[in-house]
Amino acid sequence: MISELLNENTIKIYDSVKDWKEAGKIAGKLLVDTGKVKESFIDAMIKSVEEYGPYIVIAPGIALFHARPEDGVKSMCLSLVIVKNGVYFNSGDKDPVKLVFVLGAVDNESHLRLLSELVNLLQDKNLVKMIISAHTEKDVIQLIQKKQLETVKEL
């Protein structure tokens, strides 16, 4: 599922970004540009962090932006912005964040398989380091596909 959603249109690599809001807006815009979410989704996910704090920083160096399906999700989607120099979310020892994901879910359940796959990928610390070090979006895609093939073979 991740391999179907993350592609050269939904992954971008940056050396740095101004702040966490810009990181979220860039990652969200990838999904707007591919027709998966409305602009209102970006506003909702930024507002949520402003309101509730950096709860979206789910692990050291990894953030997962999201908002409610009714905030403008057209179809299930995922984007990734890699920030080589990291960006600070005020999340203590989990900063700086280098992998900024945006997840758009159409309901409260269909994205659970996607989240499970994402957790499986991100538990591999070596893979995370290789993704952060990748030079191109194509390299990131190949790393993720390779890991998913290995996981299938293990089953």
Side-chain angles (χ1 to χ4, degrees), residues 59-104:
I62 302 168
L64 180 63
F65 279 95
H66 56 279
R68 309 254 342 124
E70 58 269 19
D71 289 324
V73 179
K74 297 177 185 178
S75 62
M76 188 159 41
C77 52
L78 185 69
S79 66
L80 169 62
V81 168
I82 299 162
V83 183
K84 299 274 187 191
N85 296 322
V87 60
Y88 286 82
F89 279 73
N90 250 352
S91 63
D93 59 353
K94 293 181 185 172
D95 276 333
V97 169
K98 295 187 176 186
L99 299 181
V100 178
F101 290 91
V102 172
L103 170 68

Side-chain angles (χ1 to χ4, degrees), residues 83-125:
V83 183
K84 299 274 187 191
N85 296 322
V87 60
Y88 286 82
F89 279 73
N90 250 352
S91 63
D93 59 353
K94 293 181 185 172
D95 276 333
V97 169
K98 295 187 176 186
L99 299 181
V100 178
F101 290 91
V102 172
L103 170 68
V106 293
D107 59 36
N108 292 328
E109 293 178 17
S110 61
H111 64 289
L112 297 178
R113 183 173 146 228
L114 174 61
L115 278 177
S116 174
E117 284 183 30
L118 191 58
V119 166
N120 182 50
L121 283 178
L122 299 176
Q123 284 178 332
D124 185 334
K125 302 291 182 219

